[in-house]
Amino acid sequence: DAGITQSPRHKVTETGTPVTLRCHQTENHRYMYWYRQDPGHGLRLIHYSYGVKDTDKGEVSDGYSVSRSKTEDFLLTLESATSSQTSVYFCAISDDARGRDTEAFFGQGTRLTVV
Amino acid sequence: GNSVTQMEGPVTLSEEAFLTINCTYTATGYPSLFWYVQYPGEGLQLLLKATKADDKGSNKGFEATYRKETTSFHLEKGSVQVSDSAVYFCALSRGGATNKLIFGTGTLLAVQP
C-alpha cells in the first residue's frame, strides 16, 4: 500500500471555525490532490499540487486553501467552515505525470461534519 | 470539457451473476481510462486501467475495454462474489502537467449470497 496518511480521520466542527486537514506521504511523489466525496457527485477535485509551493485550484475550490511547504505534506484548510463542506475528504498522490497511465493512490479519507 | 458518465446504482445482484457497469466519457484527445473501487470505510484503489483505444484492462476477474468509437469503458465480470460489494468509480485522465483524475458519480454494487 502507498504510504499516505490523512489526519484526522474524523472531525466535528462548528460553523465558522477554521479547520485544517493534513495529508502526509512517504512515497516522494510529486503530485498531491485533495478531493471531496459527496453522494451523487462522485469525487470532485478541490486543489492540487505539482511541487513544493506549487498549487492550483480544482473545480470546487471556493472556501478552501492549501499549502505545501514540504514534498511529503499537503494541507487543506477550510477558512470558515460551513455546513455545505460536510463531506468525506480524500488525499491522493501520483508520480511523474509525463506517463499518461500514471496511477493515483488514495488515502483512507477524513470524514468532516460541520454543525 | 472532460467528463465521465456512469450508470446510477445501486446495482443488486445474486452471487455468480454477470456484472456490467456502464461508463462513457467525453474528452478531447486520447485520455487514459480507469476503474477504481471503494470498499466500505476505505479509500479508493485502482482496479484496472487502459491507456489507448482497444486496450483491455483486467484484474481480479474484472475487465474493461477502451472503445474510442463509442467513447465507452464498461466494467464487466462474469461471476460476482459477495466480496465484490463496493462502490465502483470510472475515471479519466488527460495526463499532461498535472495528471488530474476526473471521476464519474460512482455505482454501488451489492451482491447477495
Side-chain angles (χ1 to χ4, degrees):
Chain A
D1 289 345
I4 308 171
T5 304
Q6 291 186 230
S7 59
R9 293 292 312 279
H10 303 271
K11 186 170 182 66
V12 179
T13 193
E14 294 186 349
T15 299
T17 61
V19 177
T20 296
L21 309 183
R22 180 181 184 235
C23 178
H24 178 78
Q25 62 149 326
T26 58
E27 305 296 321
N28 200 35
H29 281 6
R30 177 181 177 185
Y31 300 93
M32 299 186 75
Y33 313 85
W34 277 107
Y35 287 88
R36 59 178 289 174
Q37 182 180 18
D38 304 288
H41 292 278
L43 275 80
R44 294 179 290 175
L45 183 64
I46 305 171
H47 281 280
Y48 61 96
S49 170
Y50 45 95
V52 173
K53 299 187 179 178
D54 290 325
T55 64
D56 206 348
K57 297 179 179 180
E59 61 180 307
V60 290
S61 60
D62 287 349
Y64 301 94
S65 62
V66 290
S67 66
R68 192 170 178 199
S69 59
K70 298 184 290 185
T71 298
E72 57 265 35
D73 290 325
F74 193 33
L75 304 181
L76 175 71
T77 297
L78 288 66
E79 294 141 7
S80 177
T82 68
S83 58
S84 65
Q85 293 175 313
T86 292
S87 187
V88 180
Y89 291 85
F90 285 98
C91 175
I93 64 174
S94 69
D95 212 347
D96 187 355
R98 286 174 296 178
R100 291 176 63 249
D101 61 348
T102 302
E103 174 182 353
F105 299 92
F106 284 80
Q108 297 282 70
T110 295
R111 183 174 295 277
L112 176 68
T113 303
V114 183
V115 298
Chain B
N2 301 319
S3 65
V4 175
T5 302
Q6 62 181 104
M7 62 188 290
E8 292 189 19
V11 174
T12 303
L13 296 173
S14 297
E15 205 163 22
E16 299 184 1
F18 183 85
L19 168 71
T20 300
I21 300 178
N22 291 335
C23 171
T24 57
Y25 68 90
T26 300
T28 55
Y30 302 90
S32 294
L33 301 174
F34 305 83
W35 277 101
Y36 280 82
V37 59
Q38 183 182 32
Y39 298 104
E42 299 185 8
L44 280 72
Q45 54 187 278
L46 180 68
L47 180 59
L48 53 83
K49 63 184 180 185
T51 59
K52 59 183 186 296
D54 299 325
D55 267 2
K56 177 184 284 187
S58 62
N59 186 26
K60 300 181 180 179
F62 291 89
E63 294 183 340
T65 301
Y66 190 143
R67 300 287 189 200
K68 187 164 176 60
E69 64 275 14
T70 55
T71 62
S72 65
F73 193 55
H74 304 322
L75 182 68
E76 297 182 336
K77 187 176 185 183
S79 176
V80 294
Q81 305 300 313
V82 172
S83 58
D84 294 326
S85 298
V87 180
Y88 292 82
F89 291 92
C90 186
L92 71 81
S93 172
R94 290 294 318 284
T98 64
N99 201 36
K100 291 183 289 184
L101 281 167
I102 298 169
F103 287 90
T105 54
T107 301
L108 173 63
L109 170 66
V111 181
Q112 299 176 338

